[in-house]
Amino acid sequence: MAQYSTVLDDVFQALADPTRRAVLSRLGSGPATVGELAEPFDMTLPSFMKHIHLLERSGWIRTRKVGRVRACTIERSNLDAAGHWLQEQRAVWESRTDRLEDFVTHTSNESEPQ
């Protein structure tokens, strides 16, 4: 469980920043160079590279250098990890709300005068 937690911590930390979420959204359309990814943002390339390095360390993207150009691709495995965790949480909360609904309905039916 601790290893799973560490992976999720990294996954959600990477998603915590709007710049990184925008990079991931763009990479959802296909591979791109760092220059292409950095273009819409008003920041220096070294600052933008911090985002790229964090995404790479957290496993969201893979980079590959070809000559002088660094290309980025998205790694879908972290999306699956986040999706599975969210699915588990949804199941837990849906179960709790279903039980609450049953309790309220049952209690309401018992308190009605006959």
Side-chain angles (χ1 to χ4, degrees):
M1 184 66 176
Q3 178 63 25
Y4 187 60
S5 178
T6 301
V7 169
L8 286 175
D9 290 349
D10 291 345
V11 165
F12 287 116
Q13 179 186 8
L15 294 177
D17 184 86
T19 299
R20 293 189 291 269
R21 289 192 306 270
V23 167
L24 292 173
S25 292
R26 167 54 188 85
L27 289 175
S29 302
T33 66
V34 169
E36 292 168 339
L37 294 170
E39 190 174 315
F41 301 101
D42 186 27
M43 66 179 72
T44 64
L45 190 57
S47 294
F48 184 76
M49 286 302 295
K50 290 179 183 179
H51 292 289
I52 295 297
H53 290 305
L54 194 144
L55 287 169
E56 191 170 27
R57 273 193 321 272
S58 67
W60 273 107
I61 67 171
R62 186 172 7 116
T63 65
R64 187 184 59 179
K65 193 165 186 180
V66 180
R68 298 181 67 188
V69 177
R70 183 166 297 278
C72 302
T73 55
I74 197 164
E75 288 289 316
R76 302 202 187 277
S77 60
N78 276 344
L79 183 59
D80 292 340
H84 289 304
W85 183 84
L86 290 170
Q87 222 172 16
E88 290 170 4
Q89 297 310 303
R90 175 175 287 189
V92 167
W93 283 101
E94 284 177 352
S95 171
R96 289 177 182 170
T97 58
D98 288 347
R99 287 194 312 259
L100 178 61
E101 180 181 14
D102 290 344
F103 173 77
V104 170
T105 303
H106 182 72
T107 305
S108 176
N109 288 342
E110 286 181 353
S111 65
E112 290 179 3
Q114 297 191 8

